[in-house]
Amino acid sequence: MKTLVLNCGSSSIKYKLFDMTSGEVMAQGGIERIGLPGTLLKLTSPDGKKVIIEKNISGHEEGIAFILSVLTDDTHGCIRDYGEIGAVGHRVVHGGEKFSNSVLIDDEVIVKVLECSELAPLHNPANLEGIYAIRKILPGTPQVAVFDTAFHQSIPDYAYMYGLPYETYENYGVRRYGFHGTSHRYVSYRACKILNVPYEEQRIISAHIGNGGSITAIRNGKSVDTSMGLTPVEGLLMGTRCGDVDAGALPFIMKKEGLDVAGLSDLLNRRSGVWGVSGVSSDMRELEAACAENNPRALLAMKMYIYRVKKYIGAYAAVLGGIDILVFTGGVGENQCSLRAEVCRNMEYAGLKLDEPKNSSVFGKETVISMPDSKVKVIVVPTDEEYMIASDTQMILHL
């Protein structure tokens, strides 16, 4: 069966078409700048070439219709007609406490996703636009929602609650939800497959490190803690997000800078993190280049970035009572060997021995980078959230 996976953002749509019989990726690409001048569809053609098509697209329904037309055209297409698409899987960012697993989409599910939109106002409404569009363009085609937050619903209450008045949880749902759950679930399971060990018996720390980043503690196949919280701001230092910060600093800054709530949100989400500290870039490649030139703020931002990753790994080692597997994934985790080396430095006390030469040669491919006698197996696993969504879609539909 062919399964289309959609990831709709506020002004973007990413897609992959899978032949789930063989696991082959038949087509992939994405539309950028929906509703803005200069809309682009970037795709990989069946022969592997990168193609850019310019077309003004005003909304998600029009964008999805255009993607489907490209999938079936004579030049870039790979299917004869829409009828070959047997199911559509959607990334949905926030499922709150309503969803602990992927689900078949019906009217009731849509209502619940809408109710969670207050927790993810930039994401859930866009995710729903994709669902509505498929209902209109491909009526009768089953759709499945796969939630970023679902994997973390196994976190115990003492780990997900904040030290705020309990009424803030009862009335507004203020608690840790966590994100990147589909990625953490995929790479932790895949790591166990590569290592040929039982997933349900491992203590795993999964480090999804990129422009946005989170770390998750996984015991026996279940998430027991994760670094992101009510929103994706908490936890690691990220490209433009601040990560952990003293909450008391926020009203202080608001008063000093004359910020309203929107202004504070902009500061925390778009003007902080690696970009805010370094003044150079939110891109780790550019930050690394600035560090090579001894830019003092770039060096500080890099040290902060690495320190926060290392600190969370140490904290979660304590939570788990030790580590069996450490997984690196995400754009930085998969490709920045110097960062992996710094994170793993001086961790022999925990039973971790990094194979430095092997680590230095790994860029974006599945590889064990620890020494053979290391008690902690360290492994790089490129994430594949789209495959996980397609797989869940098949499982939900019993195909």
Side-chain angles (χ1 to χ4, degrees):
M1 185 189 77
K2 296 177 179 67
T3 299
L4 178 64
V5 173
L6 293 175
N7 178 358
C8 294
S10 57
S11 61
S12 66
I13 306 170
K14 296 178 184 177
Y15 71 91
K16 273 191 182 181
L17 181 66
F18 291 88
D19 182 341
M20 293 306 290
T21 303
S22 62
E24 173 194 2
V25 178
M26 300 179 66
Q28 60 183 314
I31 297 177
E32 301 173 3
R33 298 179 60 82
I34 293 173
L36 301 169
T39 309
L40 300 172
L41 170 61
K42 297 180 179 179
L43 61 91
T44 303
S45 65
D47 61 2
K49 293 181 180 178
K50 304 295 183 182
V51 178
I52 297 177
I53 304 173
E54 295 185 27
K55 180 180 173 65
N56 288 328
I57 293 172
S58 60
H60 287 77
E61 183 180 325
E62 185 181 348
I64 288 172
F66 183 53
I67 288 169
L68 291 170
S69 72
V70 171
L71 288 173
T72 55
D73 72 20
D74 292 334
T75 305
H76 305 298
C78 57
I79 57 176
R80 295 184 304 276
D81 56 61
Y82 300 167
E84 290 189 44
I85 299 173
V88 179
H90 295 266
R91 178 200 181 206
V92 180
V93 167
H94 219 304
E97 292 185 326
K98 301 176 187 297
F99 299 101
S100 57
N101 291 292
S102 303
V103 294
L104 182 67
I105 295 172
D106 57 18
D107 291 342
E108 184 181 353
V109 167
I110 288 174
V111 169
K112 290 180 178 179
V113 172
L114 272 169
E115 290 171 353
C116 293
S117 291
E118 188 176 21
L119 295 169
L122 297 179
H123 297 94
N124 277 29
N127 304 152
L128 284 165
E129 287 294 326
I131 293 168
Y132 298 146
I134 291 295
R135 277 191 160 190
K136 187 171 182 179
I137 302 167
L138 300 178
T141 301
Q143 302 186 73
V144 169
V146 180
F147 300 90
D148 276 12
T149 52
F151 183 56
H152 302 304
Q153 281 297 295
S154 53
I155 293 175
D157 55 3
Y158 56 81
Y160 70 65
M161 287 294 293
Y162 293 117
L164 296 168
Y166 193 77
E167 292 75 20
T168 61
Y169 167 66
E170 288 184 310
N171 296 335
Y172 315 119
V174 176
R175 52 156 286 184
R176 179 181 310 284
Y177 290 100
F179 300 90
H180 294 142
T182 307
S183 174
H184 289 296
R185 181 160 61 102
Y186 172 80
V187 299
S188 58
Y189 182 78
R190 180 64 189 154
C192 291
K193 282 290 186 183
I194 295 166
L195 294 167
N196 195 29
V197 295
Y199 184 51
E200 297 79 10
E201 298 176 12
Q202 306 303 309
R203 298 166 299 178
I204 304 170
I205 294 177
S206 170
H208 179 117
I209 311 171
N211 193 269
S214 64
I215 296 184
T216 294
I218 302 164
R219 180 187 291 116
N220 304 335
K222 303 289 185 182
S223 173
V224 296
D225 206 348
T226 193
S227 59
M228 284 181 169
L230 172 72
T231 75
V233 175
E234 188 180 2
L236 305 178
L237 193 73
M238 296 173 241
T240 61
R241 297 184 192 127
C242 62
D244 292 340
V245 64
D246 177 3
L250 306 184
F252 179 82
I253 293 169
M254 290 178 77
K255 184 176 180 181
K256 290 291 186 182
E257 296 284 333
L259 298 175
D260 58 11
V261 172
L264 180 65
S265 178
D266 181 68
L267 183 144
L268 298 177
N269 284 282
R270 296 183 178 88
R271 296 196 286 125
S272 297
V274 166
W275 162 241
V277 174
S278 72
V280 172
S281 174
S282 62
D283 188 308
M284 293 299 289
R285 292 165 295 188
E286 294 179 15
L287 187 73
E288 200 167 31
C291 288
E293 297 175 356
N294 290 316
N295 180 308
R297 282 176 56 182
L299 288 165
L300 173 62
M302 182 66 79
K303 288 176 181 177
M304 290 171 65
Y305 189 94
I306 291 168
Y307 178 78
R308 196 74 62 87
V309 173
K310 195 180 190 86
K311 185 166 117 174
Y312 264 99
I313 289 172
Y316 287 164
V319 166
L320 294 170
I323 318 170
D324 297 312
I325 303 169
L326 172 60
V327 188
F328 285 102
T329 194
V332 175
E334 294 168 22
N335 295 292
Q336 198 163 344
C337 55
S338 59
L339 179 137
R340 294 192 301 256
E342 286 300 318
V343 169
C344 294
R345 194 176 307 282
N346 299 322
M347 291 188 69
E348 291 81 6
Y349 74 92
L352 191 160
K353 296 181 183 178
L354 190 70
D355 186 327
E356 298 273 5
K358 185 174 284 188
N359 174 58
S360 299
S361 67
V362 175
F363 302 93
K365 60 182 180 180
E366 295 180 344
T367 313
V368 178
I369 57 173
S370 50
M371 298 290 285
D373 63 340
S374 178
K375 291 181 181 179
V376 179
K377 300 303 177 186
V378 186
I379 184 168
V380 176
V381 180
T383 192
D384 195 340
E385 294 168 274
E386 292 85 1
Y387 178 79
M388 197 82 250
I389 292 170
S391 180
D392 275 16
T393 299
Q394 283 237 302
M395 179 186 68
I396 293 293
L397 298 173
H398 306 293
L399 297 172

